[in-house]
Amino acid sequence: MDEVASNGRRWQAPTPCPASTVLLGNPVVRAGEQRPEDLEAAALLRAFGSGNAALLASQAALDSTGDQVVERYHAAQAAIDAIDRFVSRERVVEARRAEQTVTQSHANDGAENLRRRVLPKWAVWVVLALAAVFDVAFVANVVQRIFGAGPSEIVYYIAYLPGIGMALCLLAAGQSLAEHLFRHRVRVTRARRRGPLNPWLLLRRALWHWRPEEQTRQEHDLPWPRLAGPVILAVLTVSVLAAGAYVRSTQAKSFAALVSFQPVFVGLLVLLSVSAIAVKVLSHNPYADRAKEVAKDITDLEEQAKELTDAGRSELVAHRKAWNNLKSAIASAEGEAVRVVEEECARILDDRGRRGAEGPIRLPLTVLRWPEDGTEPSAEPVLPALRLDILQHAREVAAQHDPQSLQKAFDTLVAALHQQFRPVTAGTR
């Protein structure tokens, strides 16, 4: 306010200068005034920071998921390699070729198929076991009576050894006789020509001229039959058992009324031994054994192939699930970071709409580019952005372990395996 000084002049108190909007050529904002563009820039910077923090936080989960993808990839590759080794060994091809050979070899057998067994194999062992038990007990009883040994003497138990030997001789005689009789029967039935035969020729062939003419055989035919040895062994075995039966029947003094039936008793024991040999002869059929063996090989290979392919499919499914989880984690991490920034942009746009402001969202603040390894810091300013390069390693893992390559290799090997199970044509390997 104005006052009158002692010299008579009027004095006016100093007043503050009006606020200037220019300071050293730059605009100056009045105290307490907020610039919307600065608030928007700060909000965007915070949004980018939150997005990058989310990307960094997802790195551990991405690494763990990527490790699972690599592990499942190698497991699936190992399963595919197992199928590859199985196909490369061509065991299926060999088994199918063997099966086809057996089928072709017996294509002209007619109604009497040589692969058809007259008696099942288990019947042989049942009859041989019963005959062996009876022979062991019978021969042991005869030896015990001859030596007059009682249960308190060691000879009483040693007497079972000859019976065991007779049982083994019976088994050997049946086996050898069955083999050579089968060879002889097959050769006779497959012969296309038969010469005349009379008692004189039969006697001469039996005693002197056994093989009147030269014989030939194919490479894959059964070996030549040699019946002399097996017949002699069988006759000797049965004769010894018959002699033992005769000795035992003569010792049965308490059955004097049955003395006249001694030949019947001997015949019964001989019949038991002969029946055991006959059952072995009737059941012996190497063609049936070979056909069963080939069929079993095919069945076993089919089961092995199924196990390998099922294991491969399981590993492929497990790998694809892990790979899908990795891709989902990558998309989720990227989407979460983008969502944070987009939501902040949407909030700014909503605020602009309420204020009636126009114009695009700008980010005037800049930061210096962070120096890379081995380079000098750059003063070139860049706008803040999402660090999506953090996901690059996870993307590379997903690209390098794509399940499509495994699936293609698996499908190729399975197709080759199925091809091996198909009938083998002539000239194929």
Side-chain angles (χ1 to χ4, degrees), residues 249-265:
S249 63
T250 56
Q251 294 177 348
K253 298 179 180 179
S254 58
F255 297 96
L258 301 178
V259 173
S260 61
F261 293 96
Q262 288 181 355
V264 178
F265 178 76

Side-chain angles (χ1 to χ4, degrees), residues 41 44-45 48-49 52 361-370 379-387:
L44 287 177
L45 286 175
F48 280 113
N52 289 328
I361 299 177
R362 297 182 182 276
L363 191 62
L365 297 181
T366 59
V367 295
L368 294 179
R369 185 185 301 276
W370 192 261
E380 179 185 356
V382 293
L383 295 177
L386 291 175
R387 293 286 309 280

